[in-house]
Amino acid sequence: AALAIVYDVGARDERKGRSGFAHFFEPMMFQGSENVGKMDHFKYIEGAGGTLNASTHPDFTNYFEKVPSNQIEMMLWLESDRMRSLKVTPENFKNQLETVKEEKRQSIDNQPYMPAAIKLEEMLFDNWANAHAVIGSFEDLDAAGVDDIKSFFKTYYAPNNAVMAIVGDFDSATMKTMVEKYFASIPKVPQPPKPDVSEPPQTTPKTTRLTDAHAKLPAFWVGWKAPNRRDQDAPALTMLEKILASGESSRLYQRMIKGDQVAIQADAGFDIRRGPAAFEAFVVYKPENKAEKVREILWSEIEKLQKDPVSAEELEKARNQVLRKYFSSGGYTSLQRSIGRAELLAEYTLFFGDPKTMDEDLDAVMKVTPEDIRRVAQKYFSKSGMTIVDVETVAEGKDKKSKS
C-alpha cells in the first residue's frame, strides 16, 4: 500500500526575505515529533521493507511512502504525529540549515549549467512569487529564526491544507475509520492566503551571460512564459514538448545533434504549474559554433511548427509517449504503481477539488490536433518574448579577456 500526502504550500507561498522555507521543511519533517525520534521515520518505513521520499515544488510539497499492506497503520501514525507535533527546536533548525546549504552546493552551485537554469527563471518571471528558486537563498535562511519556522509550519502544515491519498490492498471502510483515528483530532488552522502569481506579458527579449566554472562546453537556456496546467492551451504545449525533444526521433535531436551536428544535447520542456508556467529549451553545443548560430537553428525548428501542421505519425508517437508516462509500469507517475496513483490522486484533489480532473486532462491531451499545435506555437513562441541565458566556460571567458 502507498500513501501520498500533498500540502498546499510551495515556493510561491513564501515572502521576500524569507525564501526557502517551503523546501526547508522537506528534510525538517524527518527530524522527529512527539512520539517519533529524529530520523526514525526512515527506520520504521525501511525496517518494514518500505520506501519513502519527499519533494518541494513551486506550488506544492509532497511526502510519500510505500509499505506492505499490513503496515498501513504505521504510515498513518507517522504522518499524523509529525503533522501534529513536529519538533522545531533551535538544534534541529541549525542542523537542517546546514543540510539545506550543503544540498544547494551539491545540486546547484557545483553542478554544470544549474546556476544558469536558476537565473533563467529569475529573469523569465516578473513576479517574485514565480521567479525565485525553490531552494531559496542562504541569506534568507541565515536571517530566519526558529520562530519564523514555527510560524510557517503552523500556517501551512495542517489537515485542512493538505490532501492524503492511500492506494493498495485494504478495506475502504476500515481505512476511513483508521484515518479518523489518527487525524480527526488534529486542529484546523485559518486557511492560508492564496498568493498573487499573476504575470504580465513579455514584449521585449531578455538576455544575460554567465561563466560557469563547472561547464566543459558552452550552452544556453531559452525560455518563454506559458499558461497554467488547466489552461486550454496546456495540452497542445504538452504534445509540442514531446515532438520537439522527446527521444532520438524528436525534431531537435534529429536536426541539432544528428543532422547539423552542432550540439551534443538539445532538450525542451513544459514546466507545468498551477500558476503561470514556462516552456524552456536547453542546448549544449560544440565550441566551434557560435551561440547565435545554434539558436537560429533552434528557432528554425520552432518556425516549422508555427507554419506547417505536424504529421499524423508524429502526433501518434507523442500520444504514445504521454500514455507510456501514465500507464507503463516503470514511470514514477504511472497509474500502474500504487505510489504514482496515490500521488496523482492527491495532487489533482488538492489542486482542483476533484481527482477526476486527471481523466479530463489526459483526455484533452489525446484530443490535441495538428492545428492546435500550430496555433499554440504561434501564440507563445516569439523572439520578443524570449529570455536567454548564455553559459560560457572559464576558458571562453579567459579568451575574451585576453582578446580585449
Side-chain angles (χ1 to χ4, degrees):
L3 177 153
I5 183 164
V6 181
Y7 288 90
D8 192 2
V9 58
R12 71 179 195 167
D13 297 283
E14 297 163 350
R15 58 185 177 86
K16 282 188 178 181
R18 290 294 183 267
S19 67
F21 277 33
H23 175 265
F24 184 85
F25 272 99
E26 185 186 320
M28 189 72 180
M29 287 286 278
F30 296 95
Q31 297 308 299
S33 50
E34 183 178 356
N35 299 295
V36 180
K38 183 175 183 178
M39 303 302 288
D40 280 356
H41 201 113
F42 287 94
K43 183 182 74 174
Y44 285 117
I45 296 296
E46 292 174 348
T51 59
L52 70 164
N53 214 329
S55 61
T56 312
H57 304 262
D59 51 353
F60 69 97
T61 305
N62 61 341
Y63 302 85
F64 47 93
E65 48 240 336
K66 183 178 181 178
V67 296
S69 58
N70 63 358
Q71 299 295 319
I72 292 176
E73 189 165 8
M74 178 184 65
M75 289 196 299
L76 296 174
W77 169 65
L78 288 168
E79 289 296 347
S80 64
D81 203 60
R82 64 180 177 180
M83 180 188 286
R84 184 196 310 273
S85 60
L86 185 70
K87 285 185 179 177
V88 185
T89 65
E91 180 186 7
N92 284 345
F93 172 72
K94 182 179 179 180
N95 289 341
Q96 291 316 296
L97 187 59
E98 294 307 311
T99 298
V100 170
K101 286 182 178 181
E102 183 59 26
E103 180 185 351
K104 184 175 184 290
R105 281 188 284 265
Q106 290 185 3
S107 63
I108 296 177
D109 298 343
N110 295 326
Q111 288 296 319
Y113 312 113
M114 285 308 298
I118 299 295
K119 186 65 176 178
L120 176 72
E121 294 209 343
E122 290 175 348
M123 292 174 59
L124 177 65
F125 293 112
D126 295 278
N127 186 333
W128 184 85
N130 305 318
H132 71 283
V134 170
I135 203 164
S137 72
F138 288 176
E139 293 78 13
D140 287 357
L141 290 171
D142 281 334
V146 174
D147 289 341
D148 294 314
I149 299 298
K150 286 182 177 179
S151 176
F152 195 87
F153 178 77
K154 290 178 180 178
T155 300
Y156 294 104
Y157 279 79
N160 59 313
N161 200 51
V163 169
M164 182 170 64
I166 306 166
V167 172
D169 175 24
F170 56 81
D171 174 73
S172 296
T174 303
M175 180 59 62
K176 183 178 179 180
T177 301
M178 205 180 297
V179 169
E180 290 175 345
K181 170 184 174 182
Y182 287 101
F183 288 89
S185 61
I186 302 176
K188 293 182 178 181
V189 299
Q191 200 64 40
K194 299 298 181 184
D196 174 15
V197 294
S198 58
E199 282 285 338
Q202 183 173 326
T203 56
T204 57
K206 304 175 185 177
T207 62
T208 194
R209 179 178 295 274
L210 295 180
T211 299
D212 189 331
H214 301 284
K216 302 302 182 184
L217 293 171
F220 60 78
W221 290 88
V222 178
W224 292 268
K225 289 183 181 181
N228 67 70
R229 64 188 300 156
R230 296 233 78 204
D231 187 274
Q232 63 178 0
D233 294 334
L237 285 167
T238 298
M239 297 295 271
L240 193 150
E241 170 198 318
K242 302 297 183 187
I243 291 167
L244 263 184
S246 184
E248 293 186 2
S249 62
S250 66
R251 292 194 177 196
L252 293 188
Y253 186 96
Q254 287 294 312
R255 173 72 185 281
M256 304 184 77
I257 298 174
K258 186 176 180 180
D260 291 358
Q261 298 184 8
V262 295
I264 66 164
Q265 184 175 345
D267 297 324
F270 181 22
D271 178 20
I272 196 164
R273 305 178 182 182
R274 276 188 283 171
F279 196 100
E280 302 171 353
F282 172 61
V283 178
V284 180
Y285 58 91
K286 298 177 180 179
E288 61 267 24
N289 299 287
K290 297 293 184 182
E292 293 76 15
K293 172 193 171 183
V294 180
R295 259 196 301 279
E296 281 303 316
I297 296 173
L298 170 65
W299 180 251
S300 71
E301 289 302 312
I302 291 173
E303 283 186 317
K304 290 177 184 177
L305 291 168
Q306 294 173 329
K307 294 176 181 177
D308 304 316
V310 301
S311 68
E313 181 182 10
E314 274 188 301
L315 195 55
E316 185 63 23
K317 181 184 68 174
R319 290 193 186 104
N320 289 336
Q321 288 171 333
V322 172
L323 290 173
R324 184 177 64 182
K325 172 186 173 184
Y326 283 103
F327 298 107
S328 70
S329 60
Y332 160 65
T333 56
S334 171
L335 293 170
Q336 299 300 321
R337 300 176 68 232
S338 55
I339 284 184
R341 183 170 296 204
E343 181 64 30
L344 286 171
L345 287 170
E347 285 183 23
Y348 270 87
T349 304
L350 177 72
F351 297 167
F352 312 117
D354 184 356
K356 292 181 181 178
T357 50
M358 176 170 53
D359 300 328
E360 296 171 8
D361 279 2
L362 182 56
D363 187 52
V365 171
M366 292 298 104
K367 290 179 178 178
V368 167
T369 67
E371 184 53 40
D372 291 331
I373 293 174
R374 183 165 63 173
R375 176 181 56 79
V376 299
Q378 293 172 350
K379 182 176 180 180
Y380 293 100
F381 300 138
S382 68
K383 288 190 174 182
S384 61
M386 290 174 72
T387 297
I388 301 168
V389 179
D390 277 307
V391 182
E392 64 181 22
T393 65
V394 172
E396 284 183 295
K398 288 180 179 179
D399 184 56
K400 288 180 181 178
K401 288 180 181 179
S402 64
K403 288 180 180 179
S404 61

